[in-house]
Amino acid sequence: MLVKDIPVKECQELLTHIGFGRLACARDNRSYVVPIYFAYEPDHLYGFSTLGKKIEWMRLNPRVCVEVDEITSHTSWTSIILDGRYEELPDTPEYRSERDQAQKLLEKRFMWWQTAYAAEQRRSRNKPSPTIFYCIHVDEMTGRRAVPDSVETEYLKRSKERPLRRRN
Amino acid sequence: MLVKDIPVKECQELLTHIGFGRLACARDNRSYVVPIYFAYEPDHLYGFSTLGKKIEWMRLNPRVCVEVDEITSHTSWTSIILDGRYEELPDTPEYRSERDQAQKLLEKRFMWWQTAYAAEQRRSRNKPSPTIFYCIHVDEMTGRRAVPDSVETEYLKRSKERPLRRRN
């Protein structure tokens, strides 16, 4: 397997394209990881959530790690890992502009979010549970891509022709 | 979206079936998350890796979190989150039996692992870089499944017929 770093520009294109990953946060040296949808812009990503463990932990410790990948097989994958800082975008005049931007991008990216919000409004008779918008500021980002090397290609070909002997 | 907890037995079946997820570890209250392949047995999972940041962090702080999911759409998904403890399975007589069991299960689950190992052997002329086998002991596990509710189904149907009006 040949693994190489990919340039930042390629990482950014993938983050924009995929918009889905796993976010890990930490509290008292314990970790917690969950899937998230997001909208990426250079240097930050926007997300949304209802109140829960993830938001509670990030409010206490804003340092997070996000992993985004495209995996075709064990020898053919791309993975991006970024370290960032959580910032909540509350519904206040100070945050209006950034909150609007987050909402606009998320709506554009995820039509279903609008749908889910509308459904929630109807369910709760115009009193939907509050949606928390947030921003993850990207401090550091690395991307790696793996492709099969010539030896693996040969072994994979052979193992298809004649399965490797099992030990049991 | 209707979200409900799923019973432990169903979590176990999914973990056995999927064998792939994201592992988060923590150090100095920072988190780090990476994709992993694993073989699950009740109460623990086996994994393998070469030496790197993940192993270094888990040696310092064995408390980890693993997330495994099957996502069809934003309103149709299953996600399992488990808290566990890392234990390395070194190549010593004391660990021989458990290490053999880990290796056997991983080989059975992932034929490609054997292939990759063989390729590595050939590449490095019988001096492959050491593979680290480890066990994650499961302390706590929760699984949740989401399905679209009737309101979402209706809105999704409508949005297909007549797209929601954009704000910009």
Side-chain angles (χ1 to χ4, degrees), chain B residues 8-60:
Chain B
V8 170
K9 201 176 176 307
E10 226 170 300
C11 292
Q12 291 177 326
E13 282 165 6
L14 267 168
L15 291 172
T16 306
H17 165 66
I18 299 175
F20 177 73
R22 276 80 185 177
L23 178 142
C25 44
R27 181 182 179 179
D28 299 332
N29 249 2
R30 302 284 293 268
S31 55
Y32 181 55
V33 52
V34 284
I36 59 159
Y37 285 96
F38 62 81
Y40 176 77
E41 285 198 318
D43 300 329
H44 58 266
L45 51 91
Y46 292 119
F48 63 97
S49 175
T50 49
L51 186 60
K53 185 171 171 177
K54 173 182 69 194
I55 298 292
E56 283 165 13
W57 281 36
M58 292 195 294
R59 282 177 176 173
L60 290 166

Side-chain angles (χ1 to χ4, degrees), chain A residues 101-158:
Chain A
Q101 172 69 355
Q103 195 162 344
K104 194 177 77 179
L105 281 173
L106 289 163
E107 279 179 6
K108 205 169 169 182
R109 185 81 179 79
F110 308 110
M111 280 301 283
W112 58 261
W113 177 82
Q114 225 174 6
T115 310
Y117 190 76
E120 176 67 22
Q121 269 187 314
R122 176 164 160 184
R123 242 194 315 265
S124 50
R125 299 178 189 235
N126 298 320
K127 284 180 195 162
S129 57
T131 299
I132 293 162
F133 290 94
Y134 62 83
C135 175
I136 304 291
H137 300 279
V138 180
D139 290 326
E140 211 178 319
M141 178 160 67
T142 51
R144 302 176 84 198
R145 173 167 299 136
V147 290
D149 63 22
S150 57
V151 182
E152 278 163 338
T153 306
E154 186 195 323
Y155 270 88
L156 284 165
K157 198 179 145 202
R158 276 195 201 170

Side-chain angles (χ1 to χ4, degrees), chain B residues 102-117:
Chain B
Q103 195 162 345
K104 194 178 76 178
L105 281 174
L106 288 163
E107 278 178 5
K108 205 168 168 183
R109 184 82 180 77
F110 309 110
M111 279 302 282
W112 58 262
W113 177 82
Q114 225 173 7
T115 310
Y117 190 77

Side-chain angles (χ1 to χ4, degrees), chain B residues 65-163:
Chain B
C65 180
V66 177
E67 192 269 342
V68 176
D69 54 49
E70 262 191 336
I71 296 174
T72 310
S73 74
H74 69 284
T75 53
S76 179
W77 48 261
T78 307
S79 174
I80 296 164
I81 293 176
L82 63 89
D83 289 318
R85 279 163 298 116
Y86 171 79
E87 185 184 16
E88 202 158 308
L89 308 176
D91 192 6
T92 60
E94 188 191 349
Y95 281 94
R96 174 108 353 118
S97 143
E98 196 165 6
R99 197 178 150 97
D100 283 352
Q101 172 70 354
Q103 195 162 345
K104 194 178 76 178
L105 281 174
L106 288 163
E107 278 178 5
K108 205 168 168 183
R109 184 82 180 77
F110 309 110
M111 279 302 282
W112 58 262
W113 177 82
Q114 225 173 7
T115 310
Y117 190 77
E120 177 67 21
Q121 268 188 316
R122 177 164 158 183
R123 242 194 316 265
S124 50
R125 296 174 190 241
N126 299 320
K127 284 179 193 161
S129 57
T131 299
I132 293 161
F133 289 94
Y134 62 83
C135 175
I136 304 289
H137 300 278
V138 180
D139 289 326
E140 210 177 320
M141 178 159 68
T142 51
R144 303 176 82 199
R145 173 167 297 136
V147 290
D149 63 22
S150 58
V151 182
E152 278 162 338
T153 305
E154 185 194 324
Y155 270 87
L156 283 166
K157 197 179 148 203
R158 276 195 202 171
S159 67
K160 272 181 197 162
E161 287 162 4
R162 177 179 50 80

Side-chain angles (χ1 to χ4, degrees), chain A residues 20-155:
Chain A
F20 177 73
R22 276 80 185 177
L23 177 143
C25 45
R27 181 181 179 179
D28 300 331
N29 249 1
R30 301 285 292 269
S31 55
Y32 180 55
V33 52
V34 284
I36 57 159
Y37 286 95
F38 61 82
Y40 176 77
E41 285 199 319
D43 301 329
H44 58 266
L45 52 90
Y46 292 119
F48 63 97
S49 176
T50 49
L51 186 60
K53 185 172 172 176
K54 173 182 68 195
I55 298 292
E56 283 166 12
W57 281 37
M58 292 195 294
R59 282 176 175 172
L60 290 167
N61 174 15
R63 311 300 304 238
V64 300
C65 180
V66 177
E67 193 269 341
V68 176
D69 54 50
E70 263 191 333
I71 296 174
T72 311
S73 74
H74 69 284
T75 53
S76 180
W77 47 261
T78 307
S79 174
I80 297 165
I81 294 176
L82 63 88
D83 289 319
R85 279 162 298 117
Y86 170 79
E87 185 185 14
E88 203 158 307
L89 308 176
D91 192 5
T92 60
E94 188 191 350
Y95 281 94
R96 173 107 355 118
S97 144
E98 196 165 4
R99 197 178 151 96
D100 282 352
Q101 172 69 355
Q103 195 162 344
K104 194 177 77 179
L105 281 173
L106 289 163
E107 279 179 6
K108 205 169 169 182
R109 185 81 179 79
F110 308 110
M111 280 301 283
W112 58 261
W113 177 82
Q114 225 174 6
T115 310
Y117 190 76
E120 176 67 22
Q121 269 187 314
R122 176 164 160 184
R123 242 194 315 265
S124 50
R125 299 178 189 235
N126 298 320
K127 284 180 195 162
S129 57
T131 299
I132 293 162
F133 290 94
Y134 62 83
C135 175
I136 304 291
H137 300 279
V138 180
D139 290 326
E140 211 178 319
M141 178 160 67
T142 51
R144 302 176 84 198
R145 173 167 299 136
V147 290
D149 63 22
S150 57
V151 182
E152 278 163 338
T153 306
E154 186 195 323
Y155 270 88

